[in-house]
């Protein structure tokens, strides 16, 4: 482990990791209370380290598509927590003066595909645009182990390799594609070996070790930004909740979830910082209180925003031609 | 005063439009298969590849999904891309991008910014090249939210409409007619001109029947009209030019004048664009429909996959004699 990471960065990662955890829990709290307008909830608890470590390596206008269930982590790229929660509970953030959370080119967010992976080309196309516009923007494009199998992801990788585009592809392997174990979809020990087939470098990293991810992403981002072309990172992590809240999870072996809770990235990183002497109990309590307060305020403001109206929906773009 | 200094065929007119727009706006870029390596795939405007090839016009592998998706991402990122997909049949390979995302995504995500992109492909029968290369798929995309569809029938229209498509801030599907690519040349102004999307054009004036058509069906309708005129039947041919947005007012006006309406297309009949047009005129001008001398009719391809056989293909898709026959039945 390279311990040259500045103290401010280490503490920023902690605060962001904690914030991500608490936003996910807030979503669950609002969802459980009912009536929020959330059609469903796909939680990301336990996987936050990956997106938080990525964001710490990106500039505001770099293109980044997190694994879909981790999109709430985009606050770490500068988006407002209020807009994130408001989008999750289907509020009219545009009318409220906010920005579209799911599609916001200013922050490098170019949409999410409900048919996951079908957005791969959007983010590779933005990298191509950046190259043609001669900016130094790069793309980090992440899918879970499930959506990474889609044909459009393959085509996007082929494009990035052929055109030598600044793209870091990532697979956030949380071990399950809905109910299908990820190992049912590939036959190698190390999923990052897929990179070899495309002639690009690939490596795997412990997806629950935020500093390990931070270092690996930093290396790949630097490579992409300096014209080195695309590469692949596989982050091995685990989905601690069902595919959606209410999922009976009949596909899990007994005891598996409990084993992975022991590898929860948040307490793990907290302990590391305490061992390093960078965090005290008093710090932990203070940061916890600050984060909770920030999220409670954001959630309260989000819940006060009205739901979008039909008229506003129609007015959004070109309407009925 | 229009300066007529060049005669161009259809594909050259498209290439000229693209080259002029690339010179006018550095954000205009293009990619697809073999644009640089084979030259002319994209229109053979002289010097275009020398000027922009490898930099702003680039070759991609055979990856239609990525070609289309990259246009979405690049358009959101600040470019104005033209994504080349060889045939309208291959659009089905990237159907998710066109149908679920391109026109609908900004509404789904409440985004008010522009998404200026052109998907450029060709379609059309005549060569017997089979389903993937020839099928007219415009009806699928007419059913797609937020996607404009351009289908020109002449070099003049092709140039003006391509320029309009490139300058449009919304996604445009530009379906060129393959059989017309190297067809009749036409005087095309050297100067910059735009044909706004959503304006039909009367390709032939007439008094007895209105034939609404577009793209490769236009020459067939015009030929039929010439032959019919020898029997004192004067057909008016309305070229929609863009089927989304649709200039239904032009159809209404013409049908009101002639009292008869035939809609003809190369695409299959079931669920085809003709059905939409017939219903639309019924909705916007029921009085005109009520006063027609004969019910609205449509002429379209049989509901079958296209064969790899020119003669069989001609049996499936309406030809000039088919137009003549149905017009005579109606008049």
């Amino acid at each position: 482990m390279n311990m040259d990471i500045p103290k401010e960065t280490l503490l920023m990662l902690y605060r962001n990791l904690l914030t991500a955890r608490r936003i996910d829990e807030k979503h669950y709290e609002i969802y459980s209370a009912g009536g929020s307008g959330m059609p469903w909830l796909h939680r990301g608890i336990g996987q936050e380290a990956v997106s938080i470590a990525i964001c710490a390596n990106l500039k505001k206008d770099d293109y980044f598509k997190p694994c879909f269930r981790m999109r709430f982590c985009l606050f770490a790229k500068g988006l407002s927590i209020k807009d994130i929660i408001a989008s999750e509970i289907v509020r009219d953030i545009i009318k409220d003066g906010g920005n579209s959370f799911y599609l916001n080119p200013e922050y490098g967010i170019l949409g999410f595909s409900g048919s996951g992976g079908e957005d791969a080309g959007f983010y590779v196309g933005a990298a191509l645009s950046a190259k043609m516009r001669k900016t130094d923007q790069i793309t980090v494009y992440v899918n879970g182990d499930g959506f990474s199998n889609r044909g459009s992801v393959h085509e996007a990788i082929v494009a990035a390799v052929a055109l030598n585009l600044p793209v870091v592809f990532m697979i956030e392997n949380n071990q399950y594609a809905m109910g299908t174990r990820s190992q049912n979809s590939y036959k190698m020990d190390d999923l990052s070996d897929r990179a070899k087939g495309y002639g690009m470098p690939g490596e795997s990293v412990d997806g629950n070790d935020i500093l390990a991810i931070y270092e690996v992403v930093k290396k790949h981002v630097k490579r992409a930004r300096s014209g080195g072309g695309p590469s692949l990172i596989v982050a091995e992590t685990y989905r601690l909740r069902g595919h959606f809240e209410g999922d009976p999870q009949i596909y899990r072996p007994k005891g598996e979830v409990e084993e992975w809770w022991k590898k929860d990235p948040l307490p793990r990183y907290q302990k590391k910082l305490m061992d390093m002497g960078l965090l005290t109990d008093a710090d932990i309590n203070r940061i916890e209180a600050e984060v909770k307060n920030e999220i409670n305020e954001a959630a309260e403001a989000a819940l006060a925003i009205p739901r979008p109206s039909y008229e506003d929906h129609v007015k959004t773009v070109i309407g009925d031609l | 005063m229009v300066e007529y200094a060049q005669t161009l065929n259809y594909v050259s007119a498209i290439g000229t439009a693209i080259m002029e727009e690339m010179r006018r706006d550095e954000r205009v870029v293009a990619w697809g298969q073999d644009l640089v390596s084979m030259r002319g795939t994209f229109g053979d405007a002289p010097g275009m590849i020398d000027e922009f090839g490898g930099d702003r016009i680039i070759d991609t592998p055979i990856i239609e999904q990525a070609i289309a998706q990259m246009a979405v991402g690049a358009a959101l990122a600040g470019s104005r891309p033209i994504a080349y997909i060889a045939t309208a049949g291959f659009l089905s390979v990237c159907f998710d991008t066109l149908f679920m995302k391109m026109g609908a995504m900004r509404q789904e995500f409440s985004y008010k910014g522009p998404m200026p992109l052109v998907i450029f492909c060709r379609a059309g029968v005549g060569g017997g090249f089979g389903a993937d290369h020839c099928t007219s798929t415009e009806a699928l995309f007419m059913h797609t939210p937020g996607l404009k569809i351009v289908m020109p029938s002449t070099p003049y229209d092709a140039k003006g409409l391509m320029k309009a498509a490139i300058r449009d801030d919304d996604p445009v599907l530009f379906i060129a007619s393959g059989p017309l690519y190297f067809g009749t040349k036409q005087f095309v102004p050297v100067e910059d001109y735009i044909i706004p999307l959503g304006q039909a054009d009367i390709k032939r004036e007439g008094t007895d029947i209105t034939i609404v058509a577009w793209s490769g069906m236009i020459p067939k309708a015009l030929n039929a009209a010439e032959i019919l005129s020898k029997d004192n039947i004067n057909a008016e041919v309305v070229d929609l030019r863009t089927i989304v947005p649709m200039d239904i007012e032009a159809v209404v006006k013409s049908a009101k004048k002639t009292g008869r309406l035939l809609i003809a297309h190369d695409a299959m009949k079931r669920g085809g664009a003709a059905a939409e047009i017939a219903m639309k005129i019924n909705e916007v001008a029921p009085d005109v429909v009520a006063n027609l001398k004969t019910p609205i009719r449509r002429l379209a391809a049989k509901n079958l996959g296209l064969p790899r056989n020119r003669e069989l293909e001609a049996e499936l898709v309406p030809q000039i004699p088919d137009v003549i026959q149905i017009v005579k039945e109606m008049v």
Side-chain angles (χ1 to χ4, degrees):
Chain A
M1 180 61 59
N2 178 359
M3 282 307 152
D4 295 341
I5 307 172
K7 185 185 167 191
E8 300 73 47
T9 305
L10 292 169
L11 291 175
M12 177 267 285
L13 287 170
Y14 175 73
R15 177 182 282 266
N16 284 352
L17 190 60
L18 181 74
T19 304
R21 174 64 51 94
R22 300 295 175 245
I23 295 175
D24 181 86
E25 290 169 349
K26 178 58 77 177
H27 283 161
Y28 182 59
E29 182 191 314
I30 297 171
Y31 179 79
S32 303
S36 65
M38 292 166 101
W40 52 26
L41 179 58
H42 305 286
R43 295 187 65 188
I45 189 165
Q47 298 176 219
E48 306 94 331
V50 181
S51 296
I52 297 304
I54 294 167
C55 287
N57 280 296
L58 297 181
K59 297 197 263 189
K60 180 189 165 191
D61 63 352
D62 283 331
Y63 302 103
F64 174 42
K65 207 284 296 185
C67 172
F68 85 99
R69 67 175 65 250
M70 307 311 297
R71 56 183 181 251
F72 62 88
C73 292
L74 284 169
F75 74 89
K77 203 167 180 295
L79 279 89
S80 101
I81 296 173
K82 184 180 97 172
D83 284 357
I84 290 171
I85 296 176
S87 297
E88 207 61 48
I89 60 176
V90 203
R91 302 302 152 125
D92 194 340
I93 58 173
I94 306 299
K95 212 171 182 180
D96 187 56
N99 291 312
S100 168
F101 161 56
Y102 297 95
L103 208 177
N104 191 337
E106 198 187 332
Y107 286 88
I109 317 299
L110 305 175
F112 290 81
S113 176
S115 49
E118 298 296 331
D119 45 20
F122 303 170
Y123 288 83
V124 171
L128 173 56
S129 170
K131 191 177 177 181
M132 286 173 146
R133 287 182 286 112
K134 299 181 172 63
T135 74
D136 72 344
Q137 292 161 286
I138 64 144
T139 284
V140 176
Y141 179 77
V142 190
N143 271 318
D145 46 289
F147 288 146
S148 295
N149 293 327
R150 273 218 158 96
S152 59
V153 176
H154 163 76
E155 291 199 4
I157 296 173
V158 169
V161 170
L163 304 173
N164 195 42
L165 300 179
V167 184
V168 179
F169 292 98
M170 288 184 69
I171 301 175
E172 188 168 326
N173 184 5
N174 67 8
Q175 313 304 325
Y176 286 94
M178 292 178 66
T180 301
R181 289 190 69 81
S182 66
Q183 282 100 332
N184 293 358
S185 306
Y186 59 90
K187 301 297 173 196
M188 69 272 264
D189 295 326
D190 184 349
L191 187 51
S192 73
D193 282 349
R194 276 194 183 171
K196 290 179 189 165
Y198 295 100
M200 64 180 182
E203 68 181 299
S204 286
V205 62
D206 180 349
N208 284 16
D209 180 347
I210 193 167
L211 292 186
I213 309 160
Y214 177 83
E215 296 267 297
V216 170
V217 171
K218 192 183 189 71
K219 186 173 72 181
H220 286 252
V221 163
K222 189 178 172 193
R223 181 177 181 277
R225 216 184 286 284
S226 58
S231 58
L232 173 69
I233 301 171
V234 176
E236 294 288 344
T237 180
Y238 191 77
R239 196 186 73 214
L240 291 169
R241 300 288 295 185
H243 169 60
F244 55 92
E245 285 303 312
D247 178 357
Q249 304 175 66
I250 54 171
Y251 45 83
R252 303 249 207 218
K254 216 174 165 196
E256 189 183 72
V257 177
E258 291 75 12
E259 278 307 303
W260 276 92
W261 266 111
K262 292 176 191 165
K263 302 177 201 170
D264 181 350
L266 180 59
R268 195 169 155 187
Y269 186 48
Q270 191 183 78
K271 183 177 182 305
K272 187 172 195 95
L273 291 181
M274 290 180 87
D275 291 347
M276 290 166 76
L278 295 175
L279 205 61
T280 64
D281 284 328
D283 293 331
I284 291 170
N285 291 336
R286 177 182 48 82
I287 297 170
E288 179 75 51
E290 287 170 4
V291 166
K292 262 194 179 142
N293 189 43
E294 187 185 7
I295 291 169
N296 283 339
E297 279 180 11
E300 211 169 296
L303 280 160
I305 302 171
R307 303 278 294 276
S309 67
Y310 167 79
E311 287 73 20
D312 291 319
H313 179 71
V314 171
K315 270 192 299 191
T316 308
V317 275
I318 52 184
D320 185 10
L321 290 168
Chain B
M1 181 68 192
V2 178
E3 184 191 351
Y4 291 112
Q6 53 182 351
T7 60
L8 297 177
N9 62 21
Y10 188 94
V11 68
S12 301
I14 293 171
T16 303
I18 292 170
M19 183 166 72
E20 288 178 11
E21 289 304 297
M22 291 187 92
R23 284 179 180 160
R24 192 185 64 82
D25 184 345
E26 63 177 11
R27 295 171 300 174
V28 178
V29 291
W31 53 76
Q33 192 197 341
D34 290 332
L35 299 185
V36 177
S37 63
M38 287 179 75
R39 288 174 183 249
T41 312
F42 205 42
D44 56 356
M48 179 164 73
I49 298 302
D50 295 325
E51 191 170 343
F52 298 113
D55 181 17
R56 286 168 60 197
I57 300 177
I58 57 173
D59 283 347
T60 69
I62 304 175
I63 43 171
E64 281 86 0
Q65 292 183 68
I67 289 169
Q69 286 175 11
M70 289 197 299
V72 173
L76 292 170
S79 298
R80 300 185 79 88
I82 303 161
Y84 175 73
I85 307 270
T87 81
F90 296 178
L91 293 176
S92 58
V93 176
C94 38
F95 195 70
D96 178 87
T97 307
L98 274 85
F99 190 75
M100 301 306 307
K101 305 295 190 316
M102 213 168 262
M105 195 167 85
R106 288 180 297 164
Q107 279 191 343
E108 184 174 12
F109 300 142
S110 303
Y111 178 65
K112 291 185 175 174
M115 194 195 282
L117 66 91
V118 178
I119 300 290
F120 172 38
C121 63
R122 65 178 183 275
V125 289
F129 299 119
D132 301 307
H133 285 72
C134 301
T135 301
S136 301
T137 56
E138 68 265 27
L140 296 173
F141 301 104
M142 199 177 191
H143 192 61
T144 300
L147 200 54
K148 295 173 181 176
I149 306 174
V150 179
M151 298 187 72
S153 70
T154 67
Y156 178 88
D157 288 355
K159 183 181 170 189
L161 288 165
M162 178 55 93
K163 280 173 163 273
I166 292 169
R167 293 184 198 183
D168 203 284
D169 276 341
D170 298 317
V172 178
L173 174 58
F174 190 103
I175 306 177
S177 167
L180 299 181
Y181 254 38
F182 304 104
T184 314
K185 287 188 177 183
Q186 193 180 18
F187 286 111
V188 174
V190 171
E191 68 190 35
D192 188 41
Y193 68 95
I194 292 285
I195 296 175
L197 306 186
Q199 277 188 12
D201 183 44
I202 310 290
K203 286 287 187 286
R204 185 185 196 281
E205 300 227 14
T207 49
D208 300 322
I209 184 169
T210 296
I211 305 175
V212 172
W214 53 90
S215 190
M217 185 52 80
I218 290 292
K220 288 189 263 189
L222 289 171
N223 270 307
E226 275 310 301
I227 294 165
L228 285 162
S229 70
K230 288 164 192 154
D231 290 333
N232 283 327
I233 299 171
N234 279 309
E236 177 148 303
V237 178
V238 178
D239 183 354
L240 281 182
R241 301 200 289 199
T242 67
I243 60 168
V244 182
M246 186 192 293
D247 189 355
I248 196 69
E249 292 311 316
V251 178
V252 170
K253 199 175 157 195
S254 178
K256 193 175 177 183
K257 182 175 88 175
T258 65
R260 296 180 184 88
L261 177 59
L262 168 68
I263 307 153
H265 56 61
D266 281 337
M268 285 183 287
K269 179 183 275 189
R270 186 174 58 227
E276 171 67 18
I277 297 164
M279 201 61 215
K280 199 158 180 155
I281 185 172
N282 206 45
E283 287 163 354
V284 303
D287 52 321
V288 172
V289 174
N291 287 315
L292 290 177
K293 295 166 193 157
T294 179
I296 298 170
R297 290 190 66 181
R298 57 179 164 163
L299 178 66
K302 294 185 172 62
N303 302 317
L304 292 164
L306 289 176
R308 296 181 183 222
N309 173 322
R310 196 179 296 199
E311 290 74 28
L312 266 181
E313 182 193 87
E315 294 284 328
L316 263 57
V317 179
Q319 305 299 322
I320 297 165
D322 301 311
V323 180
I324 294 169
Q325 188 190 329
I326 195 167
V327 168
K328 284 187 170 173
E329 288 169 12
M330 290 175 73
V331 175

